[in-house]
Amino acid sequence: MVANSRRRNPLGQAQLAPRHPTPLPLPDLLVLSVIVVTNYHSTMKDMWSLLKQPDSNRIWAMVATASVGTIIAVNLLAKMVRRAIFMPTLTIMSDLPNIGTARKDGRRKGRAVICGGSIAGLIAASMCADHFDSVLIIEAEDSLPIDPPEKKEMRTMANGLPTRVSPRKRVMQYFGLHYYQPPVLLGLQRMFPALHEQAAHFGFVLAPMSFANFECGGIKCPEVYRPADSHAPMVVPATRETFETLIRRLVMKYKPNVSFLTGTVTGFEREAVSGRKLSGVTVNTSGGEKFEPAAFVVDATGAAQTSYRKWLTNAGFGPLPVSLREDYHPHINYVQSTWTIPKDLLPEIGALLPYGLHPGVVHYMLPDLAKGEQTGQSFILLERSQLVLMTGAWGTSTDNLPHTIQEVRAHTKATHDDAHPAPQWLYKLFDALEAHEEECAPWYADFDIGALSFIKYHQAESGSLPSNWAAVGDSVMKVNPIYGQGCTKAMMDTLALDSLFRNIPALQEFPSDFAREYFQKAIKRTGGMWDGNKAVDYGFSGTEPSKGETLADGAFAHIDGQYDSL
């Protein structure tokens, strides 16, 4: 029996030690290619000579042998190409082992400036801390927390329901449910060895991705339950509020060369001597405007995408072509209610569900495009026993979506029929929540996704971007958050930047086309997120397509609702 590589983290969850394929050196690749081609040629030559012999049994035996040999040779060559070319280019697996490790030639002199201190900015700053003497994070909002939230400031919504007051006015989904995917966790584990210890302090429980009930396009999919000690990749089911606070705490505690400045970046300054790089940024602070010098600048300001809109042009890099920006609007809104389950109620609530109440997805329903449905549902258990019920839709406002548990129950019944009924345990869950509504003290939040946009910096002309600048996360591409890929994309961007930093000696200037090289590397890994999400969103009549496109452009992806007729 081959021993597996499972290990348990301090939170009591099993976790796989990831495999990191290393690209084959070019000489080895060439040698193996010659061996494959030579063996294939030799086999075909032997088979041709035997075909001239009268013994048909021997001939067909050799034909079969040659076929098997060819299959083996092609399979071997395919694996070589995948490992040497596709995995390093299209995935992050070859970059993961390096993130969080010290440079062999030491850090670069100077300071990296990160514009924006949200999740993408914090991840980028953590990476830059390995490459630069110091890192400065400039964040507009002051006094952001580094400890789990203790008190909840409440207010009343226009519909009379209670909601929370967010300290992050610029973050739309600060209280929204999130499902942070394996790449995020794998990257953070390497940046912060104390991740699990600190996560326990915040009440996180890492969990395999599981579904007690999953419906896609009207089709009831098999239940997917993975126990905590399974081989499945771990994910982090958590609110943005707690996860972002955790990362900020990790940066402050374990990255001593990272500092924070409260202020708003107002522009870039172009370096006067070469004219091809930035000398720093201007910042509006409570004490007035000031200049912050930078050896490298990272735009992590999010969906505002201010580098494209004005900073680069005002600094003399541009104007950038209008064609670099693509956007579309799915017109998605969703409503979320958060129920804090008291400890003494957890066994009672858990007994109603097929596998008990565990962190992760409990129920997930995607709309049936073939029937013109626009609404989806998701119920998930997050940190500190918070059960979140979410209902969202394309092309409608939150006024038309269910908020209270009574409305959610009625909506669930209306979106199912006798042919595809909702499981009975789901209604029992609704009944239990309604019976214990006072103890669970639910609060509500409405979200408007807004327009989605993609700045195609990888298509910029050579030399048109500063050599010591990059953008990460939503500053480059804001994807539909309901698919849970935003932070994964930010981690992929950061890993691409880290790998390029490591290829350039610390004493060497950044190449003139460094920024474009970075974007071209990153887009090979993240471009599919934009194309895939857009194709699915185009299946809903409420989506406003990109300029020059129609909703029919995504028709190839809209097959999920057609299985009923098969």
Side-chain angles (χ1 to χ4, degrees), residues 202-511:
F202 279 78
F204 283 120
V205 179
L206 311 186
M209 188 174 290
S210 299
F211 299 97
N213 185 62
F214 187 90
E215 301 173 33
C216 182
I219 305 299
K220 177 69 167 64
C221 302
E223 294 175 351
V224 180
Y225 173 70
R226 299 182 177 97
D229 60 350
S230 71
H231 290 252
M234 292 292 166
V235 297
V236 185
T239 61
R240 170 69 174 263
E241 173 190 30
T242 308
F243 195 65
E244 180 182 303
T245 303
L246 166 65
I247 301 176
R248 186 178 300 108
R249 179 186 179 90
L250 289 167
V251 172
M252 289 186 170
K253 190 175 180 66
Y254 298 104
K255 300 293 182 181
N257 62 334
V258 176
S259 59
F260 290 76
L261 172 66
T262 301
T264 302
V265 175
T266 56
F268 295 157
E269 291 292 332
R270 188 170 186 165
E271 192 260 346
V273 178
S274 68
R276 64 180 182 84
K277 64 180 182 180
L278 301 176
S279 60
V281 303
T282 54
V283 187
N284 187 17
T285 70
S286 58
E289 190 167 84
K290 59 186 298 188
F291 173 75
E292 293 292 344
F296 197 91
V297 177
V298 176
D299 180 0
T301 54
Q305 299 174 338
T306 321
S307 285
Y308 172 80
R309 290 195 298 107
K310 57 182 180 180
W311 289 345
L312 289 174
T313 298
N314 292 347
F317 296 91
L320 296 175
V322 176
S323 60
L324 291 186
R325 178 186 173 97
E326 179 185 358
D327 55 11
Y328 74 97
H329 201 318
H331 293 285
I332 295 178
N333 291 275
Y334 71 90
V335 170
Q336 174 180 301
S337 62
T338 303
W339 302 64
T340 303
I341 311 298
K343 289 185 178 180
D344 59 334
L345 278 181
L346 285 173
E348 177 184 338
I349 301 295
L352 301 175
L353 307 179
Y355 305 107
L357 193 58
H358 302 289
V361 171
V362 176
H363 166 74
Y364 199 85
M365 184 193 76
L366 292 173
D368 189 343
L369 295 179
K371 297 179 180 178
E373 294 177 353
Q374 306 285 313
T375 307
Q377 279 185 327
S378 180
F379 307 154
I380 181 173
L381 184 67
L382 304 180
E383 77 279 4
R384 301 194 306 278
S385 303
Q386 297 179 92
L387 182 62
V388 174
L389 280 62
M390 186 197 82
T391 304
W394 284 255
T396 189
S397 70
T398 54
D399 294 337
N400 300 321
L401 294 173
H403 287 74
T404 67
I405 192 65
Q406 296 83 3
E407 293 171 346
V408 171
R409 182 194 291 110
H411 177 84
T412 303
K413 289 182 178 179
T415 53
H416 291 77
D417 53 30
D418 294 338
H420 300 100
Q424 286 303 307
W425 59 259
L426 201 54
Y427 294 110
K428 293 179 180 179
L429 173 63
F430 297 154
D431 293 342
L433 292 177
E434 184 175 10
H436 297 286
E437 186 167 354
E438 184 174 351
E439 300 120 289
C440 296
W443 55 274
Y444 306 83
D446 293 350
F447 300 96
D448 180 351
I449 297 300
L452 308 175
S453 55
F454 175 21
I455 311 300
K456 300 180 179 180
Y457 288 118
H458 62 287
Q459 295 180 359
E461 292 185 6
S462 177
S464 63
L465 302 175
S467 61
N468 62 337
W469 167 84
V472 297
D474 287 357
S475 297
V476 184
M477 179 195 301
K478 178 189 175 184
V479 293
N480 192 333
I482 70 168
Y483 303 123
Q485 297 172 325
C487 291
T488 297
K489 179 174 58 60
M491 179 61 75
M492 289 181 169
D493 289 341
T494 300
L495 286 165
L497 192 57
D498 177 75
S499 68
L500 291 180
F501 279 162
R502 293 180 186 278
N503 290 336
I504 303 173
L507 298 177
Q508 181 179 315
E509 287 278 331
F510 292 106

Side-chain angles (χ1 to χ4, degrees), residues 88-141:
T89 302
L90 304 178
T91 78
I92 62 174
M93 297 308 295
S94 61
D95 294 338
L96 270 173
N98 296 321
I99 193 77
T101 63
R103 293 178 61 100
K104 294 180 180 180
D105 57 350
R107 296 188 178 112
R108 285 180 169 271
K109 301 299 181 183
R111 178 175 65 174
V113 171
I114 314 299
C115 308
S118 195
I119 290 181
L122 292 168
I123 292 175
S126 303
M127 178 274 295
C128 286
D130 297 326
H131 296 279
F132 297 87
D133 280 342
S134 63
V135 179
L136 176 66
I137 299 176
I138 303 175
E139 168 56 46
E141 295 178 309

Side-chain angles (χ1 to χ4, degrees), residues 150-185:
E150 296 294 335
K151 297 181 179 180
K152 300 177 181 179
E153 183 180 354
M154 308 296 292
R155 67 176 179 85
T156 302
M157 301 170 64
N159 57 11
L161 296 173
T163 189
R164 285 187 62 188
V165 177
S166 174
R168 299 284 275 140
K169 306 302 182 184
R170 301 175 180 226
V171 178
M172 177 196 66
Q173 292 180 295
Y174 191 62
F175 295 131
L177 68 86
H178 286 70
Y179 220 58
Y180 299 98
Q181 299 182 19
V184 179
L185 183 59

Side-chain angles (χ1 to χ4, degrees), residues 22-40:
T22 304
L24 287 174
L26 183 59
D28 292 351
L29 180 63
L30 292 175
V31 169
L32 286 173
S33 300
V34 170
I35 292 173
V36 170
V37 173
T38 302
N39 287 344
Y40 174 76

